[in-house]
Amino acid sequence: MDTARKVLVTGGCGFIGANFVRHLHRTCPRWRVVNLDTLTYAGNLDNLQGIEEGNRYRFVKGDICNTALVEEIFVAEQIDTVVHFAAESHVDRSITGPAEFIQTNIIGTFTLLEAARRNWQDQHRGGTHPLFLHVSTDEVYGSLGETGYFRETTAYDPRSPYSASKASSDHLVNGYFHTYDLPVMITNCSNNYGPYQFPEKLIPLIIHNCLQGRALPVYGDGKNIRDWLHVQDHCEAIAAVLEKGAIGASYNIGGNNEKENLEVVERICDIVDDRVGPLSSGEKRRSLITFVTDRLGHDRRYAIDAGKIKEQVGWQPKITFDEGIRKTVDWYLEHQQWVNTIIDGSYRGYYEKMYGNREILPPQR
Ligand code: NAD
Ligand code: DAU
């Protein structure tokens, strides 16, 4: 991408944000990236090790809900592009503590939109072309039955505090486009996996527990379906939308990789067995699979029709699930220290919070 941009990336120390900052660093040498991240439990400066502060990159520790700080960054840095990742992102946490989701995902997005509106008032009618890209989720569409796909025209039907807060933020973004002519785009992506994902989400949690020989919690019957996309493909999709997307448009992003959760867990067990051998007891890791009480309001199936982004932007995923999941297991094997430093002894998962068990025990045979 040739045009030099001054980009505010929010949440650049989280999973997808860090992968995206790294992607820009590799591919856009003329861009300046300002990363605004308040470093919640999910934000980690180690995710950006090797990206040095200087002409091309600046880190600001702060909250997207802080109006004065956001304004200061817009003015001082002459921001012309926002790529907005910062959010509370874990559905389970939104069940046990929704307040932060409302604050960051709704008020935070509103704060950024207001700053963009104030600072870009006349610009997009002139020579420069500011852009506010809001990174959102397929969960805003609710839950599918056995057939069908989420399309950009699918009605919103969020069903968890997380997805309701993301849907709210999407509506605000669209509202600013229609009312104030703010140059926005929205992407709604399916489940990501890959390096630097906090090990509370299914794939890194299962890899970590496999390596620790701990129980592998599968909610409900394990037949819920997610449409998995490697994070590098997601980053490339966002970059492509920035370059070729239409102002005011939404784009669904997905991997065409529908899998039942149990299948994903079994696949990880087999790869870990293959890489490091069976458990010390001699058993295979599939023996650690433990069915636990279902997530409240658990959406059954997500599946994306990514036809629009393919046709209009020219993006399609490159990494197959088979390749991506092997690489991801290898990354976590090589970065066990990264996992150990971010999960301290006080970390408690959803199941433990909801049901009080400090440790889920694998089935006894
Ligand atoms: P994450 O939880 O790994 O990272 C979120 C980042 O935002 C962290 O670095 C955190 O410190 C920061 N943050 C949180 N609150 C903040 C605040 N008030 N001010 C400034 N920074 C704050 O999330 P992720 O998985 O990387 O997701 C990034 C975005 O992509 C989110 O908006 C999410 O809804 C969306 N998304 C995620 C997925 C997925 O599978 N992970 C899929 C589709 C869309
Ligand atoms: O679809 C996009 C969304 O994907 C993003 O918007 C969210 O930010 C992201 O967290 C993800 O949400 P999910 O709830 O689908 O992801 P999670 O990894 O938490 O769970 C994936 C599936 O695995 C889901 O059906 C619940 C199940 N699960 C999860 C955990 C953590 C288990 O069975 N056991 C577990 O321990």
Side-chain angles (χ1 to χ4, degrees):
M1 281 181 279
D2 261 2
T3 324
R5 286 186 174 274
K6 285 163 267 178
V7 191
L8 174 60
V9 171
T10 68
C13 296
F15 163 48
I16 307 173
N19 278 284
F20 186 71
V21 170
R22 288 179 175 282
H23 179 73
L24 289 186
H25 208 70
R26 279 193 300 273
T27 57
C28 299
R30 297 178 57 218
W31 291 24
R32 174 163 173 80
V33 173
V34 179
N35 170 14
L36 174 61
D37 194 306
T38 200
L39 299 180
T40 66
Y41 78 94
N44 183 354
L45 284 173
D46 286 348
N47 295 358
L48 288 171
Q49 246 180 30
I51 310 279
E52 304 298 338
E53 299 249 352
N55 289 341
R56 295 182 57 197
Y57 175 72
R58 174 183 168 203
F59 171 64
V60 180
K61 180 176 175 345
D63 193 329
I64 56 166
C65 302
N66 181 337
T67 305
L69 175 64
V70 170
E71 180 68 21
E72 195 185 307
I73 294 171
F74 262 82
V75 172
E77 296 284 351
Q78 294 290 293
I79 294 298
D80 57 35
T81 307
V82 175
V83 185
H84 175 33
F85 293 96
E88 287 296 333
S89 69
H90 191 36
V91 174
D92 286 342
R93 283 181 188 255
S94 81
I95 296 168
T96 53
E100 285 152 322
F101 288 72
I102 306 306
Q103 183 64 18
T104 288
N105 299 1
I106 305 177
I107 306 296
T109 302
F110 163 71
T111 307
L112 292 163
L113 287 167
E114 275 292 278
R117 179 163 84 91
R118 273 192 304 273
N119 284 278
W120 295 348
Q121 249 165 12
D122 300 315
Q123 285 185 45
H124 60 286
R125 294 191 180 83
T128 48
H129 299 283
L131 197 50
F132 189 112
L133 196 155
H134 176 59
V135 179
S136 193
T137 171
D138 61 355
E139 297 200 11
V140 297
Y141 298 120
S143 183
L144 289 164
E146 282 177 17
T147 57
Y149 294 92
F150 295 138
R151 301 201 163 81
E152 288 78 358
T153 48
T154 304
Y156 275 33
D157 182 22
R159 292 152 44 102
S160 72
Y162 164 70
S163 52
S165 68
K166 291 296 290 187
S168 271
S169 64
D170 290 13
H171 289 320
L172 278 171
V173 172
N174 277 323
Y176 272 64
F177 169 65
H178 289 286
T179 307
Y180 304 115
D181 208 13
L182 194 79
V184 304
M185 297 177 188
I186 299 178
T187 53
N188 296 92
C189 188
S190 63
N191 286 63
N192 283 213
Y193 68 102
Y196 302 108
Q197 188 169 29
F198 192 91
E200 64 183 356
K201 307 274 169 73
L202 180 71
I203 287 183
L205 174 88
I206 295 298
I207 297 172
H208 178 63
N209 284 11
C210 269
L211 293 172
Q212 300 287 311
R214 295 184 61 189
L216 310 177
V218 173
Y219 299 163
D221 62 5
K223 292 186 193 296
N224 296 65
I225 290 176
R226 297 293 181 265
D227 177 354
W228 294 97
L229 181 74
H230 192 276
V231 66
Q232 181 55 32
D233 275 326
H234 188 188
C235 291
E236 288 181 15
I238 292 171
V241 167
L242 276 178
E243 195 179 14
K244 296 181 202 146
I247 300 293
S250 289
Y251 296 96
N252 282 354
I253 303 173
N256 199 16
N257 257 316
E258 281 183 59
K259 303 250 176 278
E260 287 186 356
N261 291 338
L262 185 59
E263 187 187 344
V264 171
V265 172
E266 288 176 344
R267 187 81 196 96
I268 294 170
C269 288
D270 296 349
I271 298 172
V272 175
D273 282 343
D274 182 52
R275 293 290 194 262
V276 302
L279 293 163
S280 50
S281 62
E283 284 187 289
K284 291 189 177 299
R285 280 179 176 71
R286 286 186 183 212
S287 65
L288 298 173
I289 292 172
T290 309
F291 290 93
V292 297
T293 306
D294 210 351
R295 172 186 279 177
L296 298 182
H298 197 175
D299 288 341
R300 191 61 170 171
R301 174 173 166 257
Y302 303 148
I304 285 273
D305 176 344
K308 179 177 174 184
I309 189 173
K310 185 177 176 193
E311 279 154 33
Q312 298 186 10
V313 175
W315 173 87
Q316 56 184 328
K318 294 181 186 147
I319 302 173
T320 62
F321 187 72
D322 199 44
E323 179 195 354
I325 195 70
R326 280 173 189 282
K327 277 190 178 161
T328 303
V329 169
D330 287 343
W331 189 89
Y332 279 88
L333 264 172
E334 286 156 19
H335 292 80
Q336 290 186 59
Q337 188 55 39
W338 177 88
V339 174
N340 294 336
T341 35
I342 61 169
I343 301 190
D344 64 17
S346 66
Y347 176 75
R348 294 178 73 206
Y350 164 77
Y351 197 80
E352 294 156 18
K353 270 201 195 126
M354 286 292 289
Y355 302 104
N357 307 36
R358 283 293 294 163
E359 183 82 32
I360 303 163
L361 296 172
Q364 301 300 309
R365 292 193 169 73

